[in-house]
Each structure stands twice: as structure tokens, then as C-alpha cells.
């Protein structure tokens, strides 16, 4: 039995955005430093957070393509009894991008669990036959709707939150000049009087976003890019952060400014390998820390 008072525990399985850090085909400065083992860098897998309210069963938020490796790295998620067992009772999907759903494919092997996702994401799985490897009689697909709390195991209540966002890249109209607005999803998890929000993507910090996040004891928030034009400046892409549905960390309307007054812990998650906050001691990292924000890393444990 757990030997401490029940609370709410989050374990960062992966802190990086799509591609991870370093990204397999990326020759940017940061990826090169990470590959060379520079002590200022810490390699990171693609974003996923495990949460529990009873220290026994876990809910995984985000099914990253690195999920198999992430489970192997975290003994809390290992089988405990019998020939087939997993402490993972639920998986929650928030986005339809490859880095948020491909991990489902490593959870085959006839293991029962609940799969919670907004209906559009369940439809997406239904339309892609490869996800039929998850036998529906074992992996129960449960639609969740914004603002309707549901129990999800691990002693937790789960509430879907809708944030400003855009449709996944591969579902966009080819060549579209502007982002196609669509909701991005976040989730609030509550147990034992504590709560946290996991929001790996958010296109804009509105008053409603601030209000929603302000109620949580901790917030894992979109830390994809430090500056809006980071990908363009680094020669890595043609799109701004906002165009990709991610508000930048810095600058006017950015996260440091928008979430400056949040009372709970503020932890940046889903960090792209171009983002200089991945380099400890960098001016950008110092700016983030001076503003009271934390930078997530693989294996980070947050107890509330
Ligand atoms: Zn890179």
C-alpha cells in the first residue's frame, strides 16, 4: 500500500513536441548538442504525462510514438502480478496528430484498458483500420465531452477542456494559407482535493483560458516554441507557431505574459527541439525560470 497521504501525482513520460529531442533527422544546433551528449541538454521523448490519484492505477494522457520506451523507463508503469498485467487503466487522447496517437499501436497485446477521447478523435481511430489492432472488446472506447467530468480510474475525475486551436496538419486543406480554426483539447484531472491541467497545445491565451487554468494546482502548458517565428528563423520550416496552433512562450500575448498571474505551478510541456529553453543556462531558459515557470523533462514527478 502507498505509504503517504493520497494526493495527485503526475509523471512526465515525455516532455518534447513531435520529433522528440533530438529529432532523428534534425541538424539544428540544439539537436546536434543533444546528440553529442552536451551536459546542458537532456534528451526528451514525445509528450505524454501519466497521472494517478491513488498511487496504484495510472492514466496516460497522450499516446506518443515513444510510449513503449516511456513505459520501460518508468517502473511505476510495469506489470506487477500474473502473466499479463498493467497498472495503466486508462489512456486519454487530446489531439489527432501522429505524436499524440501513434502510441496506441504499442498498447496492443490483448491488454484491457479504457480509451477516453473526444468523439472526433474516436472517429479518426475508427476511420484508420490500423487501430483495429486494439480489440474493442478489451479496449473500451469512451467519448468524453467538454465540461462533463467522468471517473477515469486511478481515483481520478477527468474533465475535457476546449481551448483555441486548429485542425491537425494532415487534415488541413493542402496549401491553406491560414490555420483552420478548430478546438484543441486539454484535460483537467482531479483527486483528493487537488487538480491539474494538461494542455499540450493552445493557439491563444484568452481570458477564458486564464480562468480555466487559474483553478488548477498545476498546469502543464504548451511550451512548443519560444518565439513565434522560431522555425522560420532557424530555417526549419515556413510556419509560425501560431499558424501551427501553438502560442509562443515569449513576446506579446505569449505564455510568460498571458499566464504571469496564474497561482499554481506552471510547467512548460511539449517543447520543440528548436526551443532554446531545452538548453540549461541559456538566456531563454533563464528568462522562463525567472518568470516562475518550470521546464518539464522526461521522468519529472510532480506531487500535489
Ligand atoms: Zn532540431
Amino acid at each position: 500500500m502507498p505509504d503517504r497521504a493520497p494526493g495527485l501525482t503526475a509523471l512526465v513520460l515525455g516532455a518534447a513536441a513531435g520529433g522528440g529531442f533530438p529529432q532523428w533527422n534534425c541538424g539544428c544546433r540544439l539537436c546536434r548538442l543533444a546528440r553529442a551528449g552536451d551536459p546542458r541538454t537532456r534528451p526528451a521523448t514525445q509528450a505524454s504525462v501519466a497521472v494517478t490519484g491513488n498511487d496504484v492505477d495510472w492514466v496516460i494522457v497522450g499516446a506518443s510514438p515513444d510510449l513503449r520506451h516511456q513505459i520501460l523507463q518508468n517502473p511505476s508503469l510495469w506489470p506487477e502480478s500474473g502473466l499479463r498485467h498493467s497498472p495503466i487503466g486508462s489512456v486519454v487522447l487530446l489531439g489527432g496528430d501522429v505524436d499524440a496517437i501513434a502510441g496506441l499501436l504499442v498498447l496492443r497485446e490483448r491488454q484491457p484498458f479504457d480509451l477516453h477521447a473526444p468523439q472526433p478523435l474516436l472517429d479518426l481511430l475508427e476511420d484508420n483500420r490500423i487501430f483495429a489492432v486494439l480489440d474493442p472488446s478489451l479496449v473500451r472506447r469512451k467519448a468524453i465531452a467538454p465540461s462533463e467530468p467522468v471517473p477515469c480510474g486511478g481515483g481520478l475525475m477527468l474533465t475535457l477542456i476546449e481551448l483555441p486551436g486548429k485542425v491537425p496538419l494532415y487534415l488541413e486543406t493542402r496549401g491553406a494559407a491560414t490555420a483552420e480554426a478548430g478546438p484543441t483539447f486539454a484535460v483537467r484531472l482531479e483527486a483528493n482535493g487537488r487538480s491539474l491541467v494538461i494542455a499540450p497545445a493552445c493557439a491563444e491565451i484568452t481570458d477564458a483560458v486564464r480562468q480555466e487554468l487559474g483553478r488548477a494546482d498545476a498546469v502543464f502548458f504548451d511550451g512548443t516554441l519560444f518565439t513565434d517565428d522560431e522555425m522560420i528563423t532557424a530555417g526549419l520550416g515556413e510556419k509560425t507557431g501560431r499558424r501551427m496552433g501553438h502560442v509562443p512562450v515569449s513576446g506579446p500575448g505569449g505564455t510568460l505574459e498571458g499566464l504571469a498571474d496564474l497561482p499554481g505551478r506552471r510547467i512548460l510541456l511539449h517543447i520543440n527541439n528548436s526551443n532554446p529553453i531545452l538548453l540549461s543556462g541559456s538566456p531563454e531558459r533563464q528568462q522562463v525560470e525567472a518568470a516562475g515557470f518550470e521546464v518539464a523533462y522526461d521522468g519529472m514527478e510532480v506531487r500535489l
Side-chain angles (χ1 to χ4, degrees), residues 20-23 26-32 35 236 272-274:
F21 179 52
Q23 178 175 315
C26 188
C28 81
R29 174 174 162 262
L30 291 172
C31 284
R32 283 179 193 277
R35 231 175 263 121
L236 297 171
N272 195 58
N273 59 68
S274 59

Side-chain angles (χ1 to χ4, degrees), residues 135-156:
D135 181 344
S137 70
L138 294 170
V139 178
R140 299 162 293 264
R141 298 182 184 189
K142 299 183 171 182
I144 44 176
S147 310
E148 289 179 15
V150 292
C152 66
L156 296 158

Side-chain angles (χ1 to χ4, degrees), residues 157-221:
M157 289 297 285
L158 170 161
T159 310
L160 187 70
I161 301 169
E162 234 174 33
L163 300 178
K166 61 173 288 301
V167 298
L169 286 177
Y170 65 88
L171 293 178
E172 281 188 346
T173 310
R174 202 165 284 278
T178 53
E180 287 174 42
T184 276
F185 296 106
V187 72
R188 180 167 63 246
L189 290 160
E190 295 166 282
N192 307 304
R194 308 270 200 276
S195 70
L196 62 83
V197 169
I198 299 171
C202 180
E204 189 189 354
I205 300 173
T206 60
D207 284 342
V209 169
R210 257 189 295 272
Q211 219 163 36
E212 181 65 61
L213 303 184
R215 297 160 49 198
D217 297 298
V219 173
F220 291 90
F221 192 78

